[in-house]
Amino acid sequence: MAGFDVLKNDLLLRTACGERVERPPIWVMRQAGRYLPEYHQAKGNNDFFACCRSPEIASTLTLQPIDRYEGLIDAAIIFSDILVIPQAMGMTVEMLDKKGPHFPNPLQSPTDGQYEQLMDRKVDVAQELDYVYQAITMTRHKLKGRVPLYGFCGAPWTLLCYMVEGGGSKLFVQVKTWIYKYPSQSKKLLQKIAELCVEYLALQVKAGAQIVQVFDSWAAELSPASFKEFALPYLRHISESLPPRLKELRLESVPMVVFAKGAWYALDDLCGSGYQVVGLDWLQDPAEAVRIANGRVVLQGNADPGVLYGDKEAITAVVQGLVRGFAGGKQGWIANLGHGVTPFVDPDNLKFFFEEIRRFTAGENRPSTKV
């Protein structure tokens, strides 16, 4: 990409392309966030989405873990949120303290008036989400080639969940009503969201993203059959449509990652869904995942984020299990957590996690494969 510094650490991109590498690359989801003291200083009195909409603040927050863990992290991920797409579609989304995302006016039914407006509205993601692209470009310049930068979006199924539930949920009554009572209308909206995701990711790459990830955070709420009907086709639409869209924009293709949290039952399908990397949550056994993947994709994950509340002995044990399960990690593994860093984690515990991954993938310290 013209104007950016040459990438000095391409370990993660080489790994994502399936190459054999000297060690597994490391980064973690939500590595920029509220567990860091410096996050609260940079955020100031701004609300969450105000930070997302400020390219300067977003780029500053993105770089905080890269600076804190200098030399230990092999990728940055842009500070943003999956719900910027519903916002671009015209829905109001707020981030409530101690509660999370909230839609004051969620979708009620296909005849509520809002559904028709959403389906009819022509969404200009280039204009509506320009602040994200500005943040990406600014971050690339600030990184000065230290590590590659992830862009991302929410998966259509997960975005639909938020748009009809109005926020997080335990029972998912509303979205289950939609897919089982209004399947046709649900699929039309899922398709529209998928098309917006493609354009959004393409423009992130144009702005400077070097790898992109699709987060299907609520995949676990679907049965295997429902996942194949209401999630997988739209994940595939993104993976199949993004490369040709990038070609239209005269851009090189980038590695694509899919992370369907809780969809352990769909790993085989996900390995054949067109993504180069498949993210694993902590509910999946690494060795079994390697067996199922059978070299078709690179795997990313998958330590339980909760181990970071433990002591060093617990972290070491988890790291040893990961390295053993991923067969040393010199090919086909991007070390990560099985979900994002959670609140109240001690930043030094995360540093120790990074250091232990390095220590046990250095060759001579590789743990025994014996159980």
Side-chain angles (χ1 to χ4, degrees):
M1 186 76 66
F4 295 133
D5 287 42
V6 174
L7 185 61
K8 301 178 182 70
N9 177 358
D10 65 351
L11 178 66
L12 186 138
L13 297 183
R14 287 188 285 121
T15 301
C17 291
E19 294 183 23
R20 185 167 181 81
V21 292
E22 55 274 24
R23 63 171 177 83
I26 316 165
W27 73 284
V28 295
M29 292 174 278
R30 291 186 191 156
Q31 62 189 25
R34 52 188 171 168
Y35 76 102
L36 292 174
E38 55 266 39
Y39 167 85
H40 299 280
Q41 295 170 7
K43 180 177 180 288
N45 293 322
N46 295 287
D47 68 28
F48 177 82
F49 283 115
C51 292
C52 294
R53 288 189 291 268
S54 167
E56 181 61 48
I57 296 176
S59 65
T60 296
L61 296 175
T62 300
L63 265 66
Q64 285 180 342
I66 306 302
D67 293 336
R68 174 181 276 264
Y69 304 115
E70 180 71 40
L72 290 174
I73 300 182
D74 297 300
I77 183 165
I78 194 65
F79 184 86
S80 187
D81 194 81
I82 64 173
L83 298 180
V84 298
I85 285 184
Q87 288 178 329
M89 296 174 75
M91 298 189 77
T92 299
V93 188
E94 304 165 343
M95 191 65 73
L96 302 182
D97 189 38
K98 298 180 181 179
K99 183 179 178 182
H102 172 66
F103 288 65
N105 186 28
L107 290 168
Q108 302 292 332
S109 75
T111 58
D112 67 359
Q114 187 177 194
Y115 174 83
E116 292 92 332
Q117 291 175 1
L118 284 177
M119 293 305 299
D120 292 341
R121 181 178 289 124
K122 181 175 172 58
V123 181
D124 185 350
V125 292
Q127 178 179 339
E128 295 291 340
L129 299 176
D130 183 59
Y131 59 87
V132 178
Y133 317 132
Q134 289 186 45
I136 288 172
T137 300
M138 185 179 294
T139 302
R140 277 292 305 273
H141 285 299
K142 288 182 179 180
L143 279 170
K144 298 185 181 300
R146 285 187 284 171
V147 293
L149 178 63
Y150 271 74
F152 70 90
C153 73
W157 160 251
T158 289
L159 296 182
L160 177 67
C161 287
Y162 279 110
M163 291 163 72
V164 302
E165 293 289 344
S169 175
K170 290 184 178 180
L171 298 178
F172 291 86
V173 172
Q174 303 306 322
V175 76
K176 294 297 181 73
T177 299
W178 270 76
I179 64 172
Y180 292 123
K181 195 172 184 179
Y182 315 118
S184 174
Q185 294 93 333
S186 295
K187 290 175 182 177
K188 288 177 182 177
L189 181 52
L190 286 164
Q191 181 61 30
K192 175 155 189 164
I193 296 169
E195 291 168 3
L196 294 175
C197 288
V198 171
E199 187 66 10
Y200 179 44
L201 291 175
L203 294 178
Q204 288 186 57
V205 174
K206 183 179 180 181
Q210 293 150 292
I211 182 170
V212 294
Q213 179 158 323
V214 180
F215 286 86
D216 214 346
S217 306
W218 295 121
E221 300 308 317
L222 290 168
S223 69
S226 295
F227 183 85
K228 287 187 177 183
E229 185 174 1
F230 295 102
L232 189 60
Y234 308 99
L235 292 172
R236 281 183 170 148
H237 176 84
I238 295 170
S239 69
E240 292 168 359
S241 302
L242 183 57
R245 179 59 182 138
L246 291 175
K247 189 174 182 180
E248 288 176 0
L249 295 172
R250 298 183 179 180
L251 299 168
E252 295 289 331
S253 289
V254 299
M256 297 178 291
V257 187
V258 61
F259 175 62
K261 182 176 178 290
W264 55 268
Y265 54 79
L267 181 56
D268 185 54
D269 284 331
L270 289 167
C271 289
S273 63
Y275 293 83
Q276 289 73 47
V277 182
V278 174
L280 306 174
D281 63 38
W282 70 95
L283 302 179
Q284 295 187 295
D285 176 70
E288 178 64 8
V290 169
R291 185 191 68 78
I292 294 171
N294 195 28
R296 290 177 290 169
V297 295
V298 172
L299 297 173
Q300 178 177 277
N302 69 328
D304 179 355
V307 74
L308 298 178
Y309 296 124
D311 58 20
K312 289 186 175 181
E313 183 178 345
I315 294 172
T316 296
V318 166
V319 167
Q320 287 180 303
L322 288 176
V323 175
R324 187 181 299 114
F326 289 107
K330 298 298 175 66
Q331 187 169 20
W333 180 37
I334 296 172
N336 205 309
L337 299 175
H339 198 219
V341 180
T342 45
F344 314 117
V345 159
D346 183 340
D348 287 340
N349 283 352
L350 182 56
K351 180 182 181 182
F352 184 72
F353 172 77
F354 293 143
E355 291 172 338
E356 290 295 84
I357 291 284
R358 287 287 188 93
R359 183 163 75 97
F360 285 105
T361 55
E364 64 273 14
N365 292 318
R366 178 176 165 181
S368 170
T369 57
K370 294 180 181 179
V371 178

